[in-house]
C-alpha cells in the first residue's frame, strides 16, 4: 500500500511537469489562462496535464521503480482486453488530496469531446469520493477562521475562489453530498453554505444536501432565504446572496 501511495504522489509531480513544460500541453495551458488561473494557483493545487500516449505515465513510474501492481492499486493504470494503458490521457489533472495534503486520487477534465467530461479515480484503498472533499487540505484553516465552509460542485469552482482570497471553499467531487463529507467538515465548523448550480439538477442536489447536512449535524437547522446560483459564494461575498446556508449550534 505504501508504494502505491508513493506512486500517486509521483504521478502528481509528473502531471504537473507535463503541464508546465510539455509541448502537447499547450491547449491545457491556454484553457487555464482563459479561466484566469495563475501560476501560483497551478502550484498550490498541483494542477497538471495527462499526455496522449498510451503508457506515458506507466513507463515513467516503472523507471521510478514502481511495479504494475503498484500502479493498478493506485488507480493510475488499467489492464483491459486491449492491453495495458494509463487511466488518464489528454486531460487537465486535479490531484485530490486528503486533509493532510497527501495525494489520494485524481479528477480529470477533457478539453475535447471525450466522454465523460470529468473522470475521477476509481475506488481504491486510498480514495472514496464520498468520503473526501476537494481542496480541504488548503481550506481547513480558513474554514476555522471564517467559522463556515462553502461547498461547491467542481474543481475549478474551488480553484478560482481560493485564488481570489475566498479560501474556505471545498467541492463534493461530483457526488451527492454525503454524511461522511459533513463529518469531515464538522471538525472545523458547524456552518455549511451550499453554492451549487441553479439548474434543476443543482436545485435537487441542494435539497438533498440540506437533508444530509441536517441529519449529520444532529440538531435543528434552518436554511437562509435565497436561491442557489453557480458561483453563488462569490456573489454572496459581493452582497448578492444566492447561496443556501445551513447553521447548527
Amino acid at each position: 500500500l505504501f508504494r502505491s501511495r508513493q506512486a500517486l504522489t509521483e504521478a502528481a509531480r509528473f502531471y504537473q511537469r507535463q503541464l508546465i513544460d510539455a509541448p502537447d500541453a499547450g491547449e491545457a495551458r491556454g484553457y487555464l489562462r482563459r479561466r484566469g488561473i495563475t501560476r501560483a494557483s497551478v502550484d498550490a493545487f498541483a494542477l497538471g496535464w495527462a499526455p496522449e500516449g498510451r503508457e506515458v505515465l506507466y513507463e515513467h513510474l516503472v523507471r521510478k521503480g514502481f511495479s504494475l501492481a503498484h500502479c493498478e492499486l493506485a488507480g493510475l493504470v488499467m489492464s483491459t482486453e486491449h492491453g495495458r494503458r494509463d487511466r488518464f490521457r489528454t486531460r487537465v489533472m486535479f490531484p485530490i488530496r486528503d486533509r493532510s495534503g497527501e495525494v489520494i486520487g485524481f479528477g480529470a477534465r477533457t478539453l475535447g469531446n471525450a466522454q465523460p467530461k470529468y473522470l475521477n479515480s476509481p475506488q481504491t484503498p486510498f480514495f472514496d469520493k464520498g468520503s473526501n472533499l476537494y481542496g480541504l487540505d488548503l481550506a481547513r484553516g480558513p474554514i476555522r477562521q471564517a467559522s463556515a465552509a462553502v461547498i461547491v460542485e467542481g474543481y475549478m469552482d474551488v480553484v478560482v475562489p481560493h485564488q481570489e482570497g475566498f479560501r474556505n471553499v471545498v467541492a463534493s467531487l461530483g457526488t451527492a453530498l454525503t454524511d461522511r463529507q459533513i463529518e469531515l467538515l464538522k471538525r472545523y465548523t458547524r456552518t455549511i453554505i451550499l453554492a451549487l448550480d441553479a439548474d434543476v439538477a443543482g436545485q435537487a442536489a441542494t435539497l438533498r444536501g440540506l437533508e444530509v447536512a441536517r441529519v449529520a449535524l444532529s440538531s435543528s437547522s434552518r436554511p437562509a432565504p435565497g436561491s442557489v446560483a453557480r458561483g453563488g459564494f462569490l456573489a454572496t461575498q459581493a452582497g448578492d446572496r444566492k447561496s443556501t446556508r445551513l447553521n447548527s449550534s
Side-chain angles (χ1 to χ4, degrees):
L1 291 179
F2 177 69
R3 287 293 284 163
S4 292
R5 286 291 294 260
Q6 288 183 316
L8 287 162
T9 300
E10 181 57 35
R13 293 193 192 104
F14 171 81
Y15 289 139
Q16 187 171 17
R17 286 194 298 270
Q18 293 293 307
L19 175 65
I20 294 168
D21 297 327
D24 77 336
E27 184 181 4
R29 291 190 290 267
Y31 165 75
L32 293 173
R33 279 195 299 270
R34 290 191 298 274
R35 296 297 301 267
I37 303 305
T38 65
R39 175 60 188 269
S41 292
V42 168
D43 291 341
F45 288 91
L47 304 184
W49 170 251
E52 183 176 2
R54 185 177 180 86
E55 297 184 8
V56 179
L57 174 65
Y58 174 65
E59 290 172 354
H60 170 80
L61 292 174
V62 168
R63 288 193 297 270
K64 292 290 184 178
F66 296 99
S67 69
L68 175 60
H70 295 143
C71 299
E72 288 183 326
L73 187 62
L76 297 169
V77 174
M78 303 170 59
S79 293
T80 72
E81 61 183 7
H82 303 294
R84 184 179 56 227
R85 68 174 179 86
D86 295 343
R87 180 175 296 275
F88 303 108
R89 295 186 292 168
T90 60
R91 288 176 180 266
V92 177
M93 300 300 293
F94 299 84
I96 300 168
R97 302 181 291 220
D98 63 18
R99 64 178 183 270
S100 300
E102 295 293 322
V103 179
I104 57 175
F106 291 92
R109 186 195 193 281
T110 183
L111 297 181
N113 297 319
Q115 294 295 324
K117 182 177 180 180
Y118 287 95
L119 181 65
N120 285 330
S121 289
Q123 178 119 0
T124 71
F126 324 107
F127 179 66
D128 172 13
K129 66 180 183 179
S131 299
N132 294 281
L133 291 158
Y134 180 69
L136 183 59
D137 58 312
L138 299 178
R140 57 181 184 164
I143 287 171
R144 278 201 180 104
Q145 292 169 358
S147 298
V150 180
I151 301 178
V152 295
E153 290 189 46
Y155 303 109
M156 293 296 284
D157 297 331
V158 173
V159 176
V160 172
H162 275 246
Q163 183 173 289
E164 298 301 320
F166 305 117
R167 297 190 172 94
N168 60 328
V169 183
V170 296
S172 59
L173 297 175
T175 184
L177 191 61
T178 69
D179 55 353
R180 291 161 291 166
Q181 291 169 328
I182 297 297
E183 288 296 326
L184 278 177
L185 291 175
K186 281 171 62 176
R187 299 167 181 261
Y188 313 109
T189 185
R190 297 183 72 83
T191 298
I192 309 248
I193 301 170
L194 302 180
L196 308 178
D197 283 358
D199 58 17
V200 173
Q203 296 277 2
T206 298
L207 293 174
R208 290 193 301 269
L210 286 171
E211 184 58 30
V212 169
R214 284 191 177 103
V215 173
L217 289 170
S218 300
S219 64
S220 61
S221 308
R222 181 178 60 85
S227 61
V228 183
R230 186 169 188 82
F233 176 56
L234 292 176
T236 295
Q237 300 304 304
D240 181 10
R241 300 194 175 275
K242 295 180 180 178
S243 58
T244 302
R245 177 184 294 264
L246 192 71
N247 294 295
S248 177
S249 57

